[in-house]
Amino acid sequence: MATRSIRIGIDTGGTFTDVVAFDEESGTLTTTKTPSTPSNPADGFIAGVERVLEILGATGEDVTAVCHGTTVATNQLLEGKVDELGFITTEGYEFVLEIARQAVPDGYGNSYFWVKPDRIVPAHLVKTVGGRLDFEGKEVRPFDEDGARATARWFAEKGIMTIGVNFLHAYANPDHEQRMRQILREEHPDAVVSLSSEVLREYREYERSMTTLVDAAVKPKVSRYVTNIHERLDAFTGVGTSDRDRIPFYIMKSNGGVLSADEVVNQPITTVLSGPAAGALGAGLIAQKAGFDKVLTCDGGGTSTDVTVVMNGEPALTTEGSVGAYPSKIPMIDVVTVGAGGGSIAWTTPEGQLKVGPHSAGADPGPLCYGKGGQQPTITDAHVMLGRIPAHLLGGEIPLDADAARRGIEDLAQRLNLSPEQCAIGILEISAWNQANALRQISVKRGLDVRDFMLATFGGSGSLLACRLVDILDLAGVVVPQNPGNVSAFGLLTVDVKNDYVQTHVARHNGLNLEAVAGIFDDLKQSAAEALTGEGFPAEAHRFQRTVDMRYLGQAFEVRVNTPEGEITQEWADQAAETFHAEHRSLYGYDFRGDESQQVEWVNLRVSGIGPITRPELKPIESADGAAPLEERALRSTRDVSFDADEGRVATPVYWRADLRSGDQITGPAIIEEFGSTVPLHPGFTLRVDDHGNLIIKKEGSK
């Protein structure tokens, strides 16, 4: 029986595995990091659990829950490592993947030619089965049982072990798909199968097909990974040698909720943006506590930087996302990822141009300064050479080879006919603009004025370019949370259990069948309630959110709006339509409110079931009033740092963040170091420490 109640959040990144433990009785948070293990991420996960329990003087018996943000599914899709897939669809629709959508990335970019990428399933592995449903789910032609059995046997004979099934209009009636799965179980029992009616009950055949196939593609690997960790957690925490049950093990979902590991095995596609979602939630909560309701988050890791918009503590959601080349029409936090992490490699084109990323040195071999065999300079090497980060990581645990970083950048600079300092600053400038363009994509291109937003930076490398981003984008300022390298892991401890359910119901507003709408919402709510009960939440703790996807008649895509609480009446429906008009104007600058020639159309009905958890409280830190002077208390050293190639290096004070107090103020140039990250404060910027230990950075003279 557990003597303490400790919840652990673990976020696996490309370079480090971040760990935060929350002691529910004392309310204290404990953070640490361990190196990631790309060959088997489960090893780094278990090492993180062992490390944080050692720090706490606790045992596995004290662990009451573990929540994990994983990149297993994300990395598999980004790297294109998809094993052979089979696809079964309705007779006559075998080319749905080939036809796809008439969408060309970047309008052809700088090229006159664009070659359509390979399909996720090659044409010879696409099979069809007879039978047909109409858009209301009524059977037009009966399901071809004999053809289905022949198809199942064909896949078994070919050794295709992973299969996606998408029949036309299965979102309205799943009967044919469920019968196909039963036949596959009988004829090909070892096959892993995903049904579109269970993955995505929405119309649009191409998107539904792709989402189903992505789910099938990642299912085997995610299943093995989650099962491996769960078994190792069992042994680690004493299950099987004591009377305690398995500890709850949750996986972060792309929609901003978590799901038990057992359920994730059945819904692996829900984890494709697991890690970035946790970071956005954690940073949004911290920034809101600091008094900022309009926030852009910037999560800088070893491989990439993830950015998103958070309004009033809630990250923006989308169902139009994709991972790599694969569209995934599931609810996910609206994250834009750019290949500008600490390990991103600097290189030259054949024409002699300097480029940075998207390729990364990762954790192994890592940047040149890691001394593990890296051959190319990275963003981290540039920071080391310029003195912006110390010659070590994790408070001295990982020494860095500054001479190796300089040699690599000198070699690159010679090829570019630049000085080493110019080359290093050029690497960081390109990286900053890459991040700035990603921030513009989620703000300016969505109709938001970026000047109204604070930037919340976190991750090991997230704050290194904060001041430059303020310059480029004219941001209101920057908020750097405490332990920024562990914000994603902290976010995992703030996340409710959340399940999303959707049903397509296309109808014009002026002819809406309210009884049918109420019936669909009731069915979706029941499914959500059953899932929450299965997760261990009592009925009185269940919360539900209803949303609707709406559009003007003739539009191709929808806008999601929240619906009012209460009974579904005509007044309720009219209020939802009014919300749609307002949201449409906010997004696109116009609406057709009051124009009877432009009708509103309802498309998808959605219910989210939420099981709330206890969140850690952010405690205030000690005040600087009455404490020793800042220089005596927190100043650790002075080192020469280059902020501008033309200005040369300047003697810069280095402060240790753990010794800063609420109310402290620092004027740049300065360096603020801590265990997991560093903040270079450029000349012309000031820093203030708020009541909760956040660093609030502003440009001198700004409002």
Side-chain angles (χ1 to χ4, degrees), residues 61 234-244:
E61 290 286 324
D234 287 346
F236 182 69
T237 54
V239 172
T241 60
S242 70
D243 293 332
R244 72 167 293 170

Side-chain angles (χ1 to χ4, degrees), residues 202-223:
E202 291 186 39
Y203 80 146
R204 292 196 174 101
E205 299 310 309
Y206 171 67
E207 285 80 2
R208 190 153 55 91
S209 297
M210 284 298 302
T211 305
T212 302
L213 289 166
V214 169
D215 182 79
V218 301
K219 190 171 284 185
K221 190 168 186 177
V222 170
S223 178

Side-chain angles (χ1 to χ4, degrees), residues 495-497 532 537-538 540-543 609-615:
V495 181
D496 298 323
V497 171
L532 291 174
F537 290 92
E540 60 271 17
H542 296 180
R543 293 196 292 112
I610 300 169
I613 56 91
T614 302
R615 290 182 170 84

